[in-house]
Amino acid sequence: MLEMRPDCERCGADTPAGKPGSFICSFECTFCTKCADELDDLCPNCGGELMDRPTRSAKLLEKFPASTVRKHKG
């Protein structure tokens, strides 16, 4: 199950688990759309491809909540 991290690691923008617009690599590094575009869809941490992160429905978010640990090092 994906962690569904709450923020972009590059700029700190919110990345809600129930909304589209987040990108992840195979290690779940998470980026907003703007940063993923600026990074040419390549993860700066591992060099892996950034892909659209799936959303999680509200019902499943209740049972399996998204992570609250922010990764942005601002």
Side-chain angles (χ1 to χ4, degrees), residues 1-70:
M1 177 172 43
L2 294 174
E3 263 186 70
M4 308 298 277
R5 296 177 182 171
D7 63 333
C8 174
E9 292 185 30
R10 187 167 182 242
C11 74
D14 290 336
T15 57
K19 297 190 178 194
S22 299
F23 289 78
I24 60 172
C25 70
S26 65
F27 290 97
E28 293 189 59
C29 299
T30 304
F31 300 92
C32 67
T33 301
K34 181 179 179 228
C35 287
D37 286 345
E38 290 173 1
L39 294 166
D40 199 24
D41 293 325
L42 292 175
C43 179
N45 302 323
C46 69
E49 184 178 10
L50 294 174
M51 305 291 294
D52 286 319
R53 181 182 75 183
T55 57
R56 187 170 296 163
S57 71
K59 182 179 179 180
L60 290 175
L61 275 171
E62 288 177 26
K63 187 172 182 180
F64 304 102
S67 173
T68 59
V69 177
R70 298 184 74 82

